[in-house]
Amino acid sequence: DIQMTQSPASLSVSVGETVTITCRASENIYSNLAWYQQKQGKSPQLLVYAATNLADGVPSRFSGSGSGTQYSLKINSLQSEDFGSYYCQHFWGTPYTFGGGTKLEIK
Amino acid sequence: DVQLQESGPGLVKPSQSLSLTCSVTGYSITSGYYWNWIRQFPGNKLEWMGYISYDGSNNYNPSLKNRISITRDTSKNQFFLKLNSVTTEDTATYYCARDDYGRDFDYWGQGTTLTVSS
């Protein structure tokens, strides 16, 4: 199975700051990567697909980048509604696997 | 709009089977896409369990070996998860989700919590 290593596990930030979350795959996943946001008690919601494409309705302050085994999710000018947990997931064949998550907390 | 909703018993005893239902509205599960089950353990680790395709074929996570079965009722636009021989390790929140042909999970249900306990 492809292992997805996400960092950091948690991050304490202030509104208005910029954050970057990284995800490393154990092998080349050829940009077959999605990012999700999960609020407490809710299901994950799609943010980015194919490494760099924003899902419908996702604000432009979110952006995805990367290739090969290294990927990033960047959030510019954090808003209060952006706090929660973020997960990466690969789609380079099954079994699909997820990163361990990054919890974004208010400083 | 596409909506998915899970339902299930909430509590299952060890060694029994768990059965969950995902009811889909707004899109026919025979028209396209892959229809998945994903679970999230206490501590928040996410695990993909498997899917049933629009054509009825299946793809399962090998980690679940021979315990898992995903079936469907096309007349009700529902698909189902059955997991045999459950243990306390199967305690989790179970989600159903639509898979955009191996690109992303674009629609998710709200999740159903399942506890395995005697």
Side-chain angles (χ1 to χ4, degrees):
Chain A
D1 299 0
I2 296 174
Q3 305 305 313
M4 305 300 293
T5 303
Q6 198 173 328
S7 61
S10 63
L11 206 49
S12 183
V13 295
S14 300
V15 170
E17 290 186 4
T18 294
V19 300
T20 300
I21 300 167
T22 63
C23 189
R24 176 172 51 85
S26 59
E27 62 183 79
N28 193 336
I29 57 172
Y30 300 96
S31 296
N32 288 276
L33 184 97
W35 289 97
Y36 302 90
Q37 178 193 63
Q38 186 178 31
K39 300 287 184 69
Q40 186 68 31
K42 302 292 187 181
S43 57
Q45 298 297 307
L46 178 66
L47 291 175
V48 173
Y49 63 91
T52 61
N53 297 275
L54 290 186
D56 290 345
V58 175
S60 59
R61 63 180 179 273
F62 290 88
S63 63
S65 64
S67 62
T69 62
Q70 302 278 355
Y71 299 88
S72 296
L73 176 71
K74 185 178 180 181
I75 313 171
N76 288 311
S77 188
L78 268 167
Q79 302 298 301
S80 57
E81 61 265 30
D82 298 335
F83 292 93
S85 294
Y86 292 81
Y87 297 90
C88 61
Q89 181 204 357
H90 85 82
F91 280 90
W92 184 240
T94 57
Y96 306 141
T97 54
F98 292 83
T102 296
K103 188 171 184 179
L104 211 53
E105 298 175 313
I106 301 174
K107 184 183 288 184
Chain B
D1 196 20
V2 179
Q3 294 188 22
L4 295 86
Q5 175 137 6
E6 306 88 348
S7 57
L11 178 65
V12 176
K13 295 184 188 306
S15 80
Q16 291 186 342
S17 296
L18 78 83
S19 294
L20 300 177
T21 299
C22 182
S23 300
V24 181
T25 56
Y27 192 86
S28 170
I29 62 173
T30 61
S31 293
Y33 300 99
Y34 308 146
W35 302 91
N36 290 252
W37 287 99
I38 299 132
R39 60 183 177 178
Q40 187 166 34
F41 299 104
N44 295 322
K45 178 184 175 182
L46 287 158
E47 179 183 60
W48 171 76
M49 301 181 73
Y51 67 67
I52 185 164
S53 175
Y54 62 95
D55 64 1
S57 60
N58 292 110
N59 192 335
Y60 299 135
N61 193 324
S63 70
L64 295 167
K65 297 180 182 177
N66 297 319
R67 295 202 297 140
I68 187 172
S69 176
I70 300 175
T71 58
R72 64 183 183 174
D73 184 337
T74 57
S75 68
K76 295 182 179 178
N77 214 37
Q78 295 175 327
F79 63 104
F80 312 101
L81 171 69
K82 185 176 182 182
L83 190 64
N84 297 320
S85 305
V86 300
T87 72
T88 56
E89 304 290 303
D90 294 308
T91 293
T93 296
Y94 286 75
Y95 295 100
C96 55
R98 191 178 83 168
D99 174 352
D100 191 357
Y101 300 107
R103 190 187 76 173
D104 54 64
F105 292 145
D106 58 353
Y107 289 95
W108 295 65
Q110 85 285 353
T112 186
T113 299
L114 185 99
T115 301
V116 180
S117 175
S118 55

